[in-house]
Amino acid sequence: MNASGTAEILTENGGKAPAKDAPQAIRLGVIGATGYAGRELITTLAHHPDVRITRLMSSGRQEKGAFPIEKTHPALKDRTREGQVRSCEPLDLDNLSRAAVDLVFLATPHETSHEIVPLLLARGLRVIDLSGAFRLKDTSAYRRWYGFEHLVAGALEEAVYGSPELNAEAIRSARLVANPGCYATSIILGLAPLLQAGWVDLASGIVCDSKSGASGAGRAPTQKLHFAEVNENCRAYGLFSHRHLPEVLQVLGLEESCFTFTPHLLPITRGMLSTIYLRLAPSPGISADAILDLYGKFYAQAPLVRVYERGTLPEVQAVAHTNYADVGFGFHASTRRLVIVSALDNLGKGAAGQAVENMNLMCGFPQETALA
Amino acid sequence: MNASGTAEILTENGGKAPAKDAPQAIRLGVIGATGYAGRELITTLAHHPDVRITRLMSSGRQEKGAFPIEKTHPALKDRTREGQVRSCEPLDLDNLSRAAVDLVFLATPHETSHEIVPLLLARGLRVIDLSGAFRLKDTSAYRRWYGFEHLVAGALEEAVYGSPELNAEAIRSARLVANPGCYATSIILGLAPLLQAGWVDLASGIVCDSKSGASGAGRAPTQKLHFAEVNENCRAYGLFSHRHLPEVLQVLGLEESCFTFTPHLLPITRGMLSTIYLRLAPSPGISADAILDLYGKFYAQAPLVRVYERGTLPEVQAVAHTNYADVGFGFHASTRRLVIVSALDNLGKGAAGQAVENMNLMCGFPQETALA
Amino acid sequence: MNASGTAEILTENGGKAPAKDAPQAIRLGVIGATGYAGRELITTLAHHPDVRITRLMSSGRQEKGAFPIEKTHPALKDRTREGQVRSCEPLDLDNLSRAAVDLVFLATPHETSHEIVPLLLARGLRVIDLSGAFRLKDTSAYRRWYGFEHLVAGALEEAVYGSPELNAEAIRSARLVANPGCYATSIILGLAPLLQAGWVDLASGIVCDSKSGASGAGRAPTQKLHFAEVNENCRAYGLFSHRHLPEVLQVLGLEESCFTFTPHLLPITRGMLSTIYLRLAPSPGISADAILDLYGKFYAQAPLVRVYERGTLPEVQAVAHTNYADVGFGFHASTRRLVIVSALDNLGKGAAGQAVENMNLMCGFPQETALA
Amino acid sequence: MNASGTAEILTENGGKAPAKDAPQAIRLGVIGATGYAGRELITTLAHHPDVRITRLMSSGRQEKGAFPIEKTHPALKDRTREGQVRSCEPLDLDNLSRAAVDLVFLATPHETSHEIVPLLLARGLRVIDLSGAFRLKDTSAYRRWYGFEHLVAGALEEAVYGSPELNAEAIRSARLVANPGCYATSIILGLAPLLQAGWVDLASGIVCDSKSGASGAGRAPTQKLHFAEVNENCRAYGLFSHRHLPEVLQVLGLEESCFTFTPHLLPITRGMLSTIYLRLAPSPGISADAILDLYGKFYAQAPLVRVYERGTLPEVQAVAHTNYADVGFGFHASTRRLVIVSALDNLGKGAAGQAVENMNLMCGFPQETALA
């Protein structure tokens, strides 16, 4: 912030200049800008022709006062665009009003989102919350899964689960979008076509074994995420108890007893693979071709979901550093066993990319703008 | 080989010396010495007080003539022990006789093992074969799973599946041990106690999702194992069709229709994790404590299997560069869903370590010599 | 290619459609499309508003006939744009004429480039060659450094070394641009300001220790690039003999005796760091501030070079997956020792990014289009 | 600790048993057992036939009371040997007396070692300190390089720098050994033969560019060592100011102005490579063969230093998970430029391995016991 109280803004290649008048551009705030999802939001939005970031804020940082965002994200050096703020300030609700911002991305801890979303909505701002604070419909579920008491039942009710493939219409007019969890996105996109079609033998149960890169666990240093503890390692965690489980059950309408989900930590930075095991219900018409056709039709209008032909399978490398979710499968016809493989970048389609996709829907832009 | 036809041998720290007389030491041949399993065999055997490697051979290398083993394995430089050969020669059966060798390790391709095992047995040598050529009992299975016609039904019948936890007695007196596959070992050790006890609800099916480091795929360079294709990646492969599947079914007595196995490639060099999903049959006494007790008793005499207490789970790092297999689990009592996590080093307990363990049994040494 | 002989083209999200009329778009050929640099060119060009890829060709692939590019680069699935070819065909000069193509990128082996560049120029095409075949001015140097006899002295003479920071004017009007090597780019950008200013004590010698990710070595599988050989490793290679050395000497006007360069292989996919050691000539005015000022002015007009403030240093992560080169330094004033750190993505500014930057100059587009 | 106040000890395979009488075994304490060097000490000492760990202590851990060491190091589960303590207690000097311990390894922070070494010596214990607290001879250097005031000049004077290749005799009788830094070891072993022979042109300066795995930075979680910050990255740090610099200068007798050292962080867990650049003084007899001969003779009696033949170079993978230091070089005869490459495992020869080697000398065991 400079002396006159307006954020310092930059010309294309880094020189200082007065903010250009860009009346049609949507003005954005990114809260939680110092984390990995925050960085990804800034990087992705830099390629969007119709928006402008006017507020960068961090939550929970020790630093007092504003600092250039490249200080925490050196990759962003000189990359902020004309008319875009590059100074990151501590979270300050007074500086988040309709005068400066139209829509706010929250890449903040669950508890922070829970606290400030109602205040932002009250100011007339639209909000896309990347935390889990508004994904579940049942306030009491927050006690069990998130360990805090949810006090904003109204916002929970209003919140739209931000899965563009399932809820595009509701997202377009939403004030509050609860951006899905990364694991949840990969699972939901892998299972939705089959479940909607009623093809799954639910009595046999569904097993989902997911593997995620470490950036999904955030940027705060911990023993478990220390380099030498993750490198050359792979481990399961959160058996029967991961927070993305209840949102999967809620969105897909599944019982907890028939869905087993185990997340694993991979020694990679970005990307996630879910391997999903189930048995199809007996039916004369079911074949690999029919399954492929079902997925193809379900995602025909989804610009960021790619369905794989038979004989090829999604893998992390095909989606890392992209905003796509890839889905493929192998089918053992005689026993009706189906293995679905679903891949995405946990920071892309699993977080910031899907958030921008939701923003595109909310603002009437083509859904894949800045993402494909 | 020097002019006199005897292998060049070394003193402790690399200087040349006449071979010391060590009449009680078991004399070993390692065939396939230039691969990763070969290197691991040499490294492990270097710490064994009662054996001496007298033949190192490669199969399929272009090079003509002998070469120092450190040429392909620089880590072995100066590490061969007194009285131990360090020169690796091309596969030469004439040089593998009782005059020089008591027992031979084969870390060779399936087809090579299939061809030479009968010849080695005929010379009175004992053989531990790390390939899959003698793991299955049914010759016709080789057509389907390995793509070649098996012509040595007698040796198949005689071969003992080298799982020390299941077959210790038979291994002790075996002439031919078929050393288990790495995936198979991790799965069998994870499931054997439960299946033997009859606790599994087989009708619900068993799912095994395994993740392996890249050294398990061998040392031959291929596109799929090129650094930049494996690094920062994770991918499933071999759906319903991996070669370790039939040996798991055979050893555990399972039907193919009730066991789904998907291997994945991890961006690590060594180590493997199998996450196994099943439902226990209803029974009043079954609890997490009872399961732990079952595993503890099953492996009470197994020096290289470690059972994890409740609340902790095996991970790759705890077993990498060791010869242990670790087993742990999470149990969802109300739905009787059980998730077993089994970890090992694919070059250790999954290959060379288990081979040496089998050798220890065959030779009457303590089972864990040079391994714990 | 379809029956009518025109390349199959795609609408934005993958549906087939007749090619849209886009008369102003520059039509591009990418030869060597199946390698890593080829993939990066396609990915980068997909974000360029003023160009269209009309030919994708591979050189040296076994496959006969055309195949969808996503077959070798799954990440490109559905990402080719409207009016853009997605079918990759074997190298076929007859299909590379002014009727279909304005400018050709060659991401081909040195020998292939050496052979086809004269033919492409003769057809009136402009060429950006990513190989080393036209970087050196002296034909005889090719015998020593590249092991083949250079037969096209005229093209060597005409070729412009594609360093936009040094040769922008010549690049704008060039028919043939020799795109710099990745190591060479990181070294040249690190040293050019100082050498041009005459500040270096050349008698003390310059040492350059560079570290590169494995994608710089290409996509062909070899033992040295096998995953388990690169992972958890770091090794020096090419002492005194790397092919990028002569182009550095030529461009910077240095004697071989005063410049020592050692490349190292890092266990990462993308990115490169050069640490450059030298002593400044004695001069009263030289200080860290003066050095920073020198670099700042030298690169004031370079949109893709970022100069670091004192106290911060470039690192691989800040440039990986970008087209920037970052330069910073540490200065020991009392002994005039200077350590320069230069970082770039070997596939970005070190290959495809710089090639597109050169194309932008050649075509009159803003230099950083699709790159910043 | 059990009720009777004696440490709980284990039989070979984990069962509890009364401590076996092993009167000749040296009794060891490992302080700082919860870090990476501590773990490596325990793992290495487990293969040593003549020692027994009787005290495991942590310094600085929050936990109160003792805990099984496998809680922080799962890889150590069931691996402690008969007669060996497996319970780790908080640092407690009262529990470190001649009654229980003969020799103590300190893998503690510099300040902790500085504080407790005099107390341990006063109790008649011999000490091998892996910190930097007793490596420098000049107390005032501690202010500059370590940021604390050194108060134990007597112990500094008495301390023997634990480089077995340089100081074997002094180490044998030392009460206090200052175990060298990892970077320092790799540099000293690379340079000592040449400097001792007086072959180096010191006026040209020596440049040392070192690259280290992340375990060298310890186990405490920090932002800089967070997995996603180290992975797919490489960065220089500590320009002109790393703490291992003064010990290199002191041991090799070099002036600071002629030795430039830059450490780099590699995205690997274990291992280090130093690339050292210098010019040899003019002399008629100097050749690559002469250099090789010099190194060969210098290290003829060093069991853990391996000198590489011409045409091959050390690399990290050949030394990772070993206790060797490897040295090789490339020589440009006409310009007398020499590039030395030195590799070791920062936890092996760079820390715990060298500490055990020093212990072997101090106790009269063969120098390479449990290490080769």
Side-chain angles (χ1 to χ4, degrees), chain A residues 36 218 225-227 229 231 269, chain D residues 36 218 225-227 229 231 269:
Chain A
Y36 294 137
L225 295 171
H226 196 55
F227 177 78
E229 307 286 319
N231 187 44
T269 299
Chain D
Y36 294 136
L225 295 171
H226 196 56
F227 177 78
E229 307 285 319
N231 187 44
T269 298

Side-chain angles (χ1 to χ4, degrees), chain D residues 50-356:
Chain D
D50 304 311
V51 304
R52 184 156 62 97
I53 298 176
T54 52
R55 288 290 179 273
L56 291 174
M57 293 184 181
S58 65
S59 72
R61 275 183 71 92
Q62 259 65 6
E63 306 197 39
K64 291 184 182 110
F67 54 93
I69 190 65
E70 71 191 53
K71 191 175 162 188
T72 42
H73 300 312
L76 295 179
K77 187 174 162 67
D78 297 352
R79 296 181 78 179
T80 38
R81 295 187 308 166
E82 193 172 357
Q84 190 146 322
V85 69
R86 74 164 181 183
S87 180
C88 183
E89 39 179 339
L91 175 58
D92 175 1
L93 292 179
D94 291 343
N95 221 350
L96 284 173
S97 70
R98 288 298 302 273
V101 181
D102 301 304
L103 186 151
V104 172
F105 291 96
L106 296 183
T108 41
H110 313 297
E111 294 81 355
T112 306
S113 289
H114 172 252
E115 187 181 338
I116 68 176
V117 158
L119 306 173
L120 296 172
L121 293 177
R123 282 158 193 244
L125 298 171
R126 299 176 88 182
V127 178
I128 299 173
D129 178 26
L130 282 76
S131 88
F134 293 90
R135 292 181 196 150
L136 307 182
K137 286 300 171 195
D138 177 6
T139 53
S140 70
Y142 280 90
R143 221 171 298 134
R144 173 176 174 201
W145 295 98
Y146 284 84
F148 70 85
E149 203 68 36
H150 208 293
L151 305 173
V152 207
L156 273 199
E157 196 176 342
E158 172 180 1
V160 175
Y161 190 77
S163 179
E165 292 77 13
L166 303 182
N167 297 335
E169 275 317 301
I171 292 165
R172 282 196 178 89
S173 57
R175 290 202 310 160
L176 170 58
V177 166
N179 210 57
C182 48
Y183 284 119
T185 302
S186 81
I187 298 167
I188 290 167
L189 293 176
L191 282 172
L194 288 173
L195 287 167
Q196 200 195 57
W199 288 13
V200 181
D201 174 16
L202 291 173
S204 294
I206 300 172
V207 164
C208 178
D209 188 287
S210 296
K211 302 95 181 161
S212 174
S215 62
R219 200 179 190 186
T222 65
Q223 190 68 70
K224 291 280 190 187
L225 295 171
H226 196 56
F227 177 78
E229 307 285 319
V230 176
N231 187 44
E232 292 295 288
N233 200 4
C234 176
R235 61 181 179 84
Y237 65 101
L239 269 61
F240 304 110
S241 62
H242 193 277
R243 285 169 175 171
H244 291 182
L245 176 56
E247 69 186 89
V248 168
L249 301 179
Q250 171 183 286
V251 171
L252 295 179
L254 292 171
E255 294 297 316
E256 190 175 345
S257 64
C258 88
F259 185 77
T260 304
F261 164 53
T262 306
H264 296 74
L265 185 64
L266 291 180
I268 64 176
T269 298
R270 297 175 68 133
M272 167 179 292
L273 195 81
S274 288
T275 313
I276 306 173
Y277 301 83
L278 53 84
R279 201 179 286 263
L280 293 189
S283 161
I286 291 182
S287 66
D289 284 339
I291 298 167
L292 184 60
D293 191 55
L294 178 74
Y295 277 86
K297 284 181 176 146
F298 195 94
Y299 292 120
Q301 306 305 321
L304 296 166
V305 178
R306 302 185 292 197
V307 177
Y308 276 53
E309 300 291 320
R310 296 173 61 182
T312 60
L313 288 174
E315 50 190 277
V316 166
Q317 242 180 31
V319 292
H321 296 274
T322 82
N323 296 295
Y324 290 95
D326 287 4
V327 182
F329 66 90
F331 183 50
H332 195 268
S334 64
T335 56
R336 302 191 316 278
R337 287 176 293 159
L338 183 65
V339 178
I340 302 157
V341 177
S342 172
L344 52 75
D345 185 326
N346 55 293
L347 293 177
K349 182 70 173 172
Q354 192 157 234
V356 172

Side-chain angles (χ1 to χ4, degrees), chain B residues 280-352:
Chain B
L280 292 188
S283 160
I286 290 183
S287 66
D289 285 339
I291 298 166
L292 183 60
D293 191 55
L294 178 74
Y295 277 86
K297 284 181 176 145
F298 195 93
Y299 292 120
Q301 305 305 319
L304 295 166
V305 178
R306 303 185 292 198
V307 177
Y308 276 54
E309 300 292 320
R310 296 173 60 183
T312 61
L313 287 175
E315 51 189 276
V316 165
Q317 240 179 33
V319 293
H321 296 275
T322 82
N323 295 294
Y324 290 95
D326 287 3
V327 182
F329 65 89
F331 183 50
H332 194 269
S334 64
T335 55
R336 300 191 318 278
R337 286 176 295 159
L338 183 65
V339 178
I340 302 157
V341 177
S342 172
L344 51 76
D345 185 326
N346 54 294
L347 293 178
K349 183 69 174 174

Side-chain angles (χ1 to χ4, degrees), chain C residues 31-351:
Chain C
I31 319 304
T34 57
Y36 295 137
R39 181 180 66 193
E40 192 68 10
L41 281 167
I42 299 168
T43 305
T44 302
L45 292 166
H47 296 109
H48 200 296
D50 303 311
V51 304
R52 185 156 60 97
I53 298 176
T54 52
R55 288 289 179 274
L56 291 175
M57 292 183 181
S58 66
S59 72
R61 274 182 72 90
Q62 258 65 5
E63 304 197 39
K64 292 183 182 112
F67 54 92
I69 190 66
E70 73 192 51
K71 191 175 162 188
T72 42
H73 300 313
L76 295 179
K77 187 173 162 66
D78 298 350
R79 295 180 79 178
T80 39
R81 296 186 307 166
E82 192 173 359
Q84 190 146 323
V85 68
R86 74 163 181 185
S87 180
C88 183
E89 39 180 339
L91 174 58
D92 177 359
L93 291 178
D94 292 342
N95 220 350
L96 282 174
S97 70
R98 288 297 305 272
V101 180
D102 300 305
L103 187 152
V104 173
F105 291 97
L106 297 183
T108 42
H110 312 297
E111 294 81 356
T112 307
S113 289
H114 172 252
E115 187 181 338
I116 67 176
V117 158
L119 305 173
L120 296 171
L121 293 177
R123 282 157 194 244
L125 299 172
R126 299 176 86 181
V127 177
I128 298 173
D129 179 26
L130 282 76
S131 88
F134 294 91
R135 290 182 195 150
L136 307 182
K137 286 301 172 194
D138 177 6
T139 53
S140 70
Y142 279 90
R143 221 170 300 135
R144 173 177 173 199
W145 296 99
Y146 284 85
F148 70 85
E149 204 68 34
H150 208 293
L151 305 172
V152 208
L156 273 199
E157 196 176 343
E158 172 179 1
V160 176
Y161 190 77
S163 179
E165 292 77 13
L166 302 182
N167 296 335
E169 275 317 300
I171 293 165
R172 284 195 177 89
S173 56
R175 290 202 310 161
L176 170 58
V177 166
N179 210 59
C182 48
Y183 284 119
T185 302
S186 80
I187 298 167
I188 290 167
L189 293 175
L191 282 172
L194 288 173
L195 287 167
Q196 202 196 56
W199 289 13
V200 181
D201 174 15
L202 290 173
S204 294
I206 301 172
V207 164
C208 178
D209 188 286
S210 295
K211 301 96 181 160
S212 174
S215 63
R219 200 179 189 185
T222 66
Q223 189 68 71
K224 291 280 191 188
L225 296 171
H226 195 56
F227 177 78
E229 306 286 319
V230 177
N231 187 45
E232 292 296 287
N233 200 4
C234 176
R235 62 182 178 84
Y237 65 100
L239 268 61
F240 304 111
S241 63
H242 193 277
R243 284 168 175 172
H244 291 181
L245 176 56
E247 69 186 271
V248 168
L249 301 178
Q250 171 183 286
V251 171
L252 295 179
L254 291 171
E255 294 298 315
E256 191 175 344
S257 65
C258 88
F259 185 78
T260 304
F261 165 53
T262 306
H264 297 73
L265 186 64
L266 291 181
I268 65 175
T269 299
R270 298 174 68 134
M272 167 179 291
L273 194 82
S274 288
T275 313
I276 308 173
Y277 301 84
L278 54 83
R279 201 178 286 264
L280 293 189
S283 161
I286 291 181
S287 66
D289 285 339
I291 298 166
L292 184 60
D293 191 55
L294 178 74
Y295 276 87
K297 284 182 176 145
F298 195 94
Y299 293 120
Q301 305 304 320
L304 296 167
V305 178
R306 302 186 292 197
V307 177
Y308 276 52
E309 299 292 321
R310 295 172 61 182
T312 60
L313 288 174
E315 51 190 277
V316 165
Q317 240 179 33
V319 293
H321 296 276
T322 82
N323 295 294
Y324 289 95
D326 287 4
V327 182
F329 66 90
F331 183 50
H332 194 268
S334 64
T335 56
R336 301 192 317 278
R337 287 176 293 159
L338 183 66
V339 178
I340 302 157
V341 178
S342 172
L344 51 76
D345 185 326
N346 55 293
L347 293 178
K349 182 69 174 174

